[in-house]
Amino acid sequence: MNDHKRITGLIGAAAVASAADPRAVPWAIEALALARVLELPILIEEAKGVLSRLAHDSTCLWCAGVPDTAIPVASFWCMN
């Protein structure tokens, strides 16, 4: 497997994992580290995006599925 496939595989696995999956953040961090070493700017941005989504999903009450949390106003998708 080449480096690009390994990085995209890690990003893909982290992207579809829930924030509660203990493997998700390490996958994204590994992808980010590899992309930085190989100087692949697009994959760096993708890995950062997945890390941001995982961080958001674990801190946003609505996205984390906390019971009785109101859906964000004006949008079906969380804007927090």
Side-chain angles (χ1 to χ4, degrees), residues 5-66:
K5 286 183 181 179
R6 181 172 180 194
I7 295 167
T8 56
L10 289 165
I11 291 170
V16 298
S18 76
D21 187 334
R23 302 168 300 172
V25 170
W27 284 335
I29 290 171
E30 183 179 352
L32 179 58
L34 291 170
R36 282 184 173 160
V37 167
L38 297 171
E39 299 178 356
L40 300 169
I42 293 173
L43 294 180
I44 290 169
E45 292 306 312
E46 290 292 326
K48 284 181 179 180
V50 171
L51 278 170
S52 294
R53 195 266 307 164
L54 290 168
H56 172 85
D57 287 359
S58 62
T59 58
C60 174
L61 296 178
W62 184 68
C63 291
V66 174

